[in-house]
Amino acid sequence: MATNEGIHMTGGRIDAGALAVGSNARATNSTTAAEQALTDQGHTELAGRLAEVVRLLEAHAASLDNPDEVKEATDTIAAELTRPKPNRTTLAGLLTALAAGVSPVATLATAVDALARTALALF
């Protein structure tokens, strides 16, 4: 009889930033500098929204037309968010461009929309 080195679930859900299962499995969950800076500034919800966009972008990059450009836009948004006084006009433009770039992936588009609503409500 073979040993199950996976997960056997009969209901419920797993919600993890990093998860590893099986022999010699490893998982890491690192916080980007922007996420840490936002958390340090007391913007934990915004940091979480940014982390979700980054996570989904990594997971769905192959489904995007220009994943490198989308990643670059995300990095630029992160940099703008961590400035002492983010430029709302710049931020709105970048978020609109990001939304257009991720539109082929519904879950990513939803995450970008949530990031935009949270960011623009703060700044």
Side-chain angles (χ1 to χ4, degrees), residues 7 9-10 43 49 61 63 66 118-119 121-122:
I7 295 175
M9 250 177 100
T10 57
H43 301 306
R49 300 276 189 212
S63 300
N66 298 307
T118 303
L122 284 173

Side-chain angles (χ1 to χ4, degrees), residues 22-80:
S23 180
N24 299 315
R26 296 174 51 182
T28 59
N29 189 6
S30 60
T31 303
T32 66
E35 292 165 32
Q36 187 62 53
L38 289 168
T39 299
D40 291 347
Q41 295 170 6
H43 301 306
T44 53
E45 181 182 2
L46 187 57
R49 300 276 189 212
L50 179 60
E52 180 69 1
V53 168
V54 170
R55 184 185 69 76
L56 289 170
L57 177 57
E58 290 171 359
H60 297 287
S63 300
L64 300 174
D65 293 334
N66 298 307
D68 292 337
E69 290 177 13
V70 170
K71 172 75 169 94
E72 187 177 324
T74 304
D75 292 343
T76 305
I77 289 167
E80 186 65 32

